[in-house]
Amino acid sequence: MTTHAIETRGLSKHYGDLVVLDGLDLEVQTGSVYGFLRPNGAGKSTTIKLIFDLIRPTAGSVTVLGHDAQHDGVLARSGVGYLPQQPHFHPYRTVRGVLSYMAHLSPRAPRGRVLHRRIDELLDQAGLAGKSRRRAGVLSGGERQRLGIAQALIGDPELLILDEPAAGLDPQGRREVLDLIEQMRGRATLFFSTHLLDDVQRVADTVGVLCAGNMIAEGPLGEILEAPAAAYTVRVLGETTPVRARLEQEPWVVGIETHLRGEQELWEVQLAERHAGGLLLDALVDAVGLDVIEFHPTDPSLEFAYFDLVGGER
Amino acid sequence: MKGRPMADRSRSTAFAGVGTLAMVELRRWLPRRAIVLAVASLPILLFVTFALGGEADTPFGEVLAVALTGWSIVVVLVVVGTSQGVLADAVEDGTAAWTVSMPVTRKAYVLAKFVGAAPAIALGAVIVPGLVAYPFLAASADANSEFGAVAVIDALQRDTSAYAGLPSLGEYAIMLSLIALLAVYLLAMMLLFGSRLTSAAALLGFGLASAAVLIVFNGLGIEEGTPGVAFVAVLPNRLEELAVVPALVASAAWSACAVVIAAWSFDRRPL
C-alpha cells in the first residue's frame, strides 16, 4: 500500500507566459486530513484539475492512490470521491436518483439492496433523509453541498477530495460540513482546499500553503503554527495616533490591525520576529499620553502564520 | 481470489459506465424533446405534401420527392438546432467535468452522449413522424380522393402499391432510414464540433455548414457513399438505382468516424 494518497512531482502548468503552477511537489499522506490553503489565483483549482486529469500538465506527474492520474486515470479515480467547488447535478434527478446514478458509475459502490441501504445511510448522515424525493434542481446551496458530500462518499472512497467544501454556506451549514469531515477522519484520506483558515485549523492535521504556483509551506499543522512571526494583542487608551504611526515605521512591525472598543482601541500587532515583543512594549510604555490596558502575545493562529508565509496583509 | 486483477479490470472498463451515461442522455431526450421533434416534424411533411399534391398534373412520385427533400432539410435544421448543446452545454455548465472526474473515460462519455441521443433524434425527428405520415401520403397519392379522414382510412385498407409513384412501405422505410442516418450523422458532427467549441452561434454555423457540404456534394453528383445520399433516395425511381446496403453502411460509417474523432478531440480538451 502506498504511503501517499496524492503525490505530485515537479508539477507545472503554463498557459503561454502565465505560470500557474511551477514545479509543485505535493505529498498527501494516506490517512491524513490535508488542508490545502491558497489565496485566489494561486493555482489551487489547477492542481485539483490536474489530479482529476481534467487538464494536462506542462511538466511533471501526478500519482493518485499509486496510479498515474493521466495514463491510468480510471483506476486512479476509482477510489476517489470528489466534491467540486460548485456541484452540478442533473436538475431533474431526485436526491436519491443522484446518489443512485453516482453509485452506478463507481465500481466500488454496492449494488441492489445494499445500495439502497447505503443511500439511506448517506442521506441520513447528510441531513437529507426527508428530502430524498426532492429534485436536485430545487435544493438550496447548503443542501446541494451536503448532497455533494454524500455523492462523494457513495463509492466508499479511500481518498476524498473536497474543493472549498464550506464556501458559501451559512454558519450552521459550515459546521455540518466540518462535522462530516471530522466523521470521515480515519476512514479515508481527506484533501480539502479552502481559503477559510479557521476550517483548516479546526479539522486539518496537515497543511499545505500554495502561493503563486509554489508550495511555500507544507507539514503538520503544529509546525506551520510555529512560523517565525509573532503577534501581540494590545489594548490602549489615550493618544493612540502618534504611537501607532511611529510603530508602523518600525522595520520589526509587519502590520497593525485596529478595532475600536468604545474609547479604547484594540490592536493586533504582527511582528517580524518573536523577540520584537520587548521593543513593542518599550515603545508603548514610552509613549506620551497613552495608557496600556492589555498586552500579551496573541494565541498562535493559522491566520498569522499564513499571512506571514504568503507575505500579505490581513 | 475472486475477479480479475485491478489492472485487467481497468483495461476492460475503458468504456465502463457507457450504459448508465447513455440512459441519462436518453432520458434528457425522452419523452419531451423527442415528442417536440415529432410534433414539429410531422406537420411540415404533411403540409409540404398536401400543398404540392393539389397539382393534378404532377405525378405523385415527384410530389413526394419534393416533399421528402424539403422535409429532410427541415429535419437537418431541427437536428442541428436541438443537438448543438449535447456536449457543449455539459462542458459549459460543469456536468461534463463532474462526470469525467468519476472513474469514466472521456471516450466513454462522448460515446454515451451519442448512443443516448441518436435513437431519440432518429425516432423523434424522422422515423415516428415519417411512419405516421405514410397513410396520409397514401391518401394524398390517390388522385381521385379528396384528403380527409375517410380517404386515410380507405387508403390504409387498400394495397398502396396501386398508387403510381407511392413507394411501398418497405421502400419508404429505407428512405426514412437514410434520412434518419443523415440526422444521426449531423448529431455526430455536432458532438465533434462540441468537443472543441462552446459558442452556440459557432456550433450552429459549423452544423449548418456541414449540412451545406452534403447539399453541395449532391449538386456535384458525388453524394453516393455520403450521408447526403438520403436526398437522392427520395427522388423518384432513384432508390431502385441505389446500392441500398452500401449506402446505409456508408452513412453509418460517416457517423462512426465523426464520433471517434469527437472522442479523440474531447479527450484532449481542458475542462
Side-chain angles (χ1 to χ4, degrees):
Chain A
M1 187 176 151
T2 177
T3 55
H4 295 133
I6 303 173
E7 188 173 349
T8 72
R9 285 279 170 261
L11 193 62
S12 299
K13 182 66 184 174
H14 302 175
Y15 294 98
D17 293 335
L18 179 67
V19 179
V20 181
L21 277 183
D22 189 16
L24 177 69
D25 292 327
L26 172 75
E27 289 179 353
V28 178
Q29 294 287 329
T30 301
S32 65
V33 178
Y34 190 107
F36 193 41
L37 272 170
R38 87 310 172 247
N40 285 333
K44 177 268 301 177
S45 295
T46 303
T47 308
I48 290 182
K49 284 182 175 184
L50 286 164
I51 288 171
F52 283 101
D53 194 31
L54 297 176
I55 54 174
R56 300 276 155 84
T58 308
S61 63
V62 183
T63 307
V64 179
L65 300 174
H67 304 287
D68 185 284
Q70 187 178 337
H71 300 109
D72 219 357
V74 171
L75 264 186
R77 296 192 296 271
S78 62
V80 182
Y82 175 46
L83 170 70
Q85 188 168 355
Q86 291 173 323
H88 296 282
F89 307 118
H90 300 114
Y92 56 84
R93 281 190 176 276
T94 61
V95 167
R96 176 176 283 277
V98 167
L99 296 182
S100 176
Y101 164 67
M102 293 298 300
H104 282 93
L105 292 176
S106 173
R108 297 162 62 104
R111 299 284 186 267
R113 287 181 185 172
V114 183
L115 173 61
H116 283 291
R117 279 202 298 275
R118 176 78 180 132
I119 289 175
D120 288 340
E121 194 180 297
L122 285 171
L123 288 174
D124 201 36
Q125 198 176 346
L128 294 168
K131 293 168 181 170
S132 65
R133 293 188 176 187
R134 187 169 290 188
R135 290 192 185 275
V138 299
L139 294 178
S140 70
E143 289 169 341
R144 200 160 50 238
Q145 201 76 349
R146 293 207 297 274
L147 177 59
I149 291 177
Q151 60 85 26
L153 295 173
I154 191 79
D156 197 16
E158 289 173 55
L159 168 64
L160 196 56
I161 296 179
L162 310 172
D163 192 358
E164 296 281 1
L169 297 182
D170 60 22
Q172 174 71 18
R174 185 176 156 205
R175 195 171 69 181
E176 287 169 0
V177 166
L178 294 177
D179 286 347
L180 274 171
I181 292 175
E182 275 292 349
Q183 287 170 28
M184 285 303 294
R185 189 190 297 277
R187 289 165 56 190
T189 305
L190 275 105
F191 177 85
F192 71 102
S193 76
T194 183
H195 64 279
L196 299 171
L197 301 163
D198 291 348
D199 292 357
V200 173
Q201 195 160 4
R202 183 176 150 184
V203 295
D205 51 42
T206 312
V207 180
V209 183
L210 189 68
C211 186
N214 289 295
M215 188 70 86
I216 55 172
E218 186 182 36
L221 182 63
E223 286 180 16
I224 300 289
L225 290 176
E226 287 171 9
Y232 280 79
T233 301
V234 178
R235 197 198 304 258
V236 287
L237 178 67
E239 296 292 323
T240 58
T241 310
V243 68
R244 193 174 61 223
R246 197 166 63 247
L247 284 171
E248 282 170 345
Q249 300 300 317
E250 297 289 355
W252 40 269
V253 174
V254 176
I256 301 174
E257 190 173 315
T258 305
H259 306 279
L260 285 175
R261 296 284 185 273
E263 292 182 346
Q264 300 173 0
E265 283 187 16
L266 184 70
W267 295 352
E268 285 181 16
V269 186
Q270 196 179 357
L271 303 177
E273 295 169 352
R274 199 171 285 276
H275 63 75
L279 297 173
L280 173 64
L281 184 59
D282 289 345
L284 292 170
V285 170
D286 291 345
V288 178
L290 187 79
D291 293 329
V292 181
I293 298 162
E294 184 181 340
F295 178 89
H296 59 80
T298 307
D299 289 338
S301 124
L302 186 56
E303 190 175 357
F304 276 110
Y306 174 77
F307 283 105
D308 180 59
L309 286 165
V310 302
E313 290 183 7
R314 289 191 299 162
Chain B
M1 193 176 111
K2 281 185 180 180
R4 285 170 290 164
M6 206 59 172
D8 286 347
R9 264 183 283 161
S10 159
R11 278 192 285 277
S12 67
T13 56
F15 290 96
V18 169
T20 303
L21 294 170
M23 286 307 292
V24 169
E25 186 62 27
L26 187 63
R27 197 174 158 190
R28 283 182 67 229
W29 287 85
L30 294 177
R32 214 173 349 178
R33 285 196 198 186
I35 289 171
V36 168
L37 282 174
V39 167
S41 190
L42 177 62
I44 294 165
L45 174 58
L46 294 177
F47 175 78
V48 176
T49 306
F50 292 126
L52 294 168
E55 301 291 331
D57 298 337
T58 313
F60 187 74
E62 287 178 23
V63 171
L64 188 66
V66 174
L68 288 180
T69 307
W71 180 59
S72 302
I73 291 170
V74 171
V75 166
V76 164
L77 296 175
V78 167
V79 170
V80 168
T82 53
S83 63
Q84 53 95 7
V86 167
L87 198 51
D89 285 356
V91 172
E92 192 73 3
D93 69 17
T95 51
W98 176 55
T99 305
V100 300
S101 68
M102 293 180 244
V104 171
T105 62
R106 296 195 191 195
K107 292 182 181 76
Y109 184 71
V110 171
L111 181 64
K113 285 274 177 192
F114 178 74
V115 170
I121 284 180
L123 286 170
V126 182
I127 304 291
V128 170
L131 289 177
V132 170
Y134 188 72
F136 294 91
L137 298 176
S140 182
D142 185 355
N144 296 322
S145 70
E146 290 183 9
F147 173 67
V150 175
V152 172
I153 292 164
D154 190 37
L156 285 170
Q157 289 171 342
R158 277 195 262 170
D159 179 6
T160 52
S161 61
Y163 301 127
L166 181 73
S168 69
L169 190 56
E171 289 173 329
Y172 184 70
I174 292 170
M175 291 177 185
L176 290 183
S177 301
L178 285 166
I179 297 171
L181 280 173
L182 171 66
V184 167
Y185 165 73
L186 285 165
L187 166 69
M189 290 303 287
M190 295 315 288
L191 277 173
L192 174 56
F193 299 135
S195 69
R196 282 284 144 188
L197 304 169
T198 44
S199 157
L203 282 164
L204 280 173
F206 276 100
L208 293 175
S210 62
V213 167
L214 294 179
I215 293 169
V216 170
F217 274 22
N218 267 263
L220 297 173
I222 50 174
E223 71 284 339
E224 292 225 17
T226 75
V229 78
F231 293 121
V232 177
V234 299
L235 297 177
N237 305 320
R238 287 299 304 275
L239 188 62
E240 294 162 13
E241 298 169 20
L242 268 181
V244 169
V245 173
L248 287 167
V249 171
S251 293
W254 276 71
S255 303
C257 284
V259 172
V260 168
I261 298 169
W264 178 84
S265 168
F266 191 63
D267 200 35
R268 279 147 188 80
R269 177 182 185 161
L271 289 175

